[in-house]
Amino acid sequence: MTNIGFTPESGAGKIIEYLQRHGEGTVKDFAALLEVSATAVREHLVHLQADGLVVARAERRGPGRPRLVYCLSEKAQSLFPKQYDRLISLLLRELIALEGSDKVDAILDRVSQRLAGEYADRMEGTDIAVRLGELRRLLEQRGVPAEVAPEGDGIRLFACPYYDVAHMHPQVCSMERQMIEYVLGEKLDLQNSIREGSHSCSFTVRESDAEDGRVIIPLQM
């Protein structure tokens, strides 16, 4: 049903599933669903609201006190199982079949530039160790744990944001590496990768080469 910590059989889980199917509900609806008292229902709702999974609005129907109508929050919607990885894999497969690998590589390179463009203006300093430190902070804001190499000449990523897709389409790994290269303005060498069985993706900065440098080319939106 969901991956938000409630089993389908629990009271909270049944309320969540009811709201998935019906969009909204009242204490009366939930009491009938669970066959419990309104007080017991409100206890479930208090916990769900405290977790940020359910929100309530007042709805007036005629004279008297307005009733509370409950629905799922955006947080709850974002936690339900998604199949983005499968969709992306299918799209890449069809693009390769229709346009060829070279065209798809070019598209992914443009994507890496767009991603880099979101971070480039937040990089500070000309020293590579400083930029690597800032990159680590930006990656962790994306939910990717990372650390700068003790020598200050590389970075390790301890999670893959595209894990399932990358196993089927290695080009996605190249896209992430290129994004980091564009952000740093330096070429990187991949030492090991999660896709190949390591517990991290480790990159070292390649020694500067005037003909090897990268420049971020702004893309037309």
Side-chain angles (χ1 to χ4, degrees):
M1 178 190 68
T2 70
N3 61 353
I4 57 178
F6 301 108
T7 64
E9 296 78 18
S10 69
K14 289 179 179 179
I15 290 173
I16 291 289
E17 186 168 10
Y18 180 96
L19 293 175
Q20 279 185 281
R21 292 177 179 273
H22 299 278
E24 60 184 31
T26 64
V27 169
K28 182 178 179 180
D29 295 327
F30 304 141
L33 171 72
L34 302 178
E35 298 181 340
V36 298
S37 67
T39 300
V41 167
R42 290 190 180 94
E43 289 182 5
H44 287 305
L45 291 171
V46 165
H47 291 300
L48 289 169
Q49 287 179 290
D51 289 338
L53 301 176
V54 167
V55 294
R57 74 173 192 278
E59 183 180 90
R60 185 177 295 278
R61 290 187 174 182
R65 296 176 59 185
R67 67 173 186 169
L68 290 177
V69 179
Y70 297 86
C71 63
L72 295 175
S73 67
E74 290 188 9
K75 176 182 177 181
Q77 296 287 2
S78 69
L79 294 176
F80 294 133
K82 304 292 191 296
Q83 293 196 20
Y84 297 141
D85 288 347
R86 176 169 170 76
L87 174 61
I88 293 170
S89 291
L90 290 172
L91 287 172
L92 286 173
R93 184 186 303 173
E94 292 304 314
L95 279 171
I96 291 171
L98 291 171
E99 303 291 344
S101 295
D102 290 345
K103 186 67 173 288
V104 171
D105 289 345
I107 292 172
L108 291 176
D109 183 67
R110 289 175 64 87
V111 171
S112 71
Q113 291 185 48
R114 289 191 184 277
L115 290 171
E118 297 177 6
Y119 303 131
D121 60 352
R122 298 165 64 182
M123 300 295 289
E124 298 179 358
T126 57
D127 183 79
I128 184 60
V130 173
R131 298 204 304 276
L132 283 167
E134 183 65 12
L135 174 64
R136 179 200 61 78
R137 188 180 68 81
L138 294 173
L139 288 169
E140 293 196 340
Q141 288 179 356
R142 291 174 60 198
V144 180
E147 70 176 18
V148 177
E151 298 80 6
D153 63 349
I155 191 165
R156 299 171 70 192
L157 282 58
F158 297 101
C160 177
Y162 314 110
Y163 183 81
D164 291 332
V165 178
H167 271 76
M168 291 179 280
H169 300 281
Q171 304 99 315
V172 174
C173 287
S174 298
M175 179 192 74
E176 184 77 350
R177 190 198 75 243
Q178 289 168 343
M179 182 274 289
I180 296 173
E181 289 179 340
Y182 282 125
V183 170
L184 292 175
E186 302 282 351
K187 279 281 201 175
L188 300 175
D189 289 321
L190 177 65
Q191 303 300 320
N192 49 62
S193 72
I194 294 172
R195 187 177 67 84
E196 295 177 350
S198 176
H199 75 288
S200 67
C201 291
S202 298
F203 302 94
T204 56
V205 177
R206 190 178 302 173
E207 291 189 10
S208 298
D209 183 331
E211 296 180 357
D212 209 23
R214 279 189 178 270
V215 177
I216 295 179
I217 303 172
L219 297 177
Q220 298 297 320
M221 300 299 290

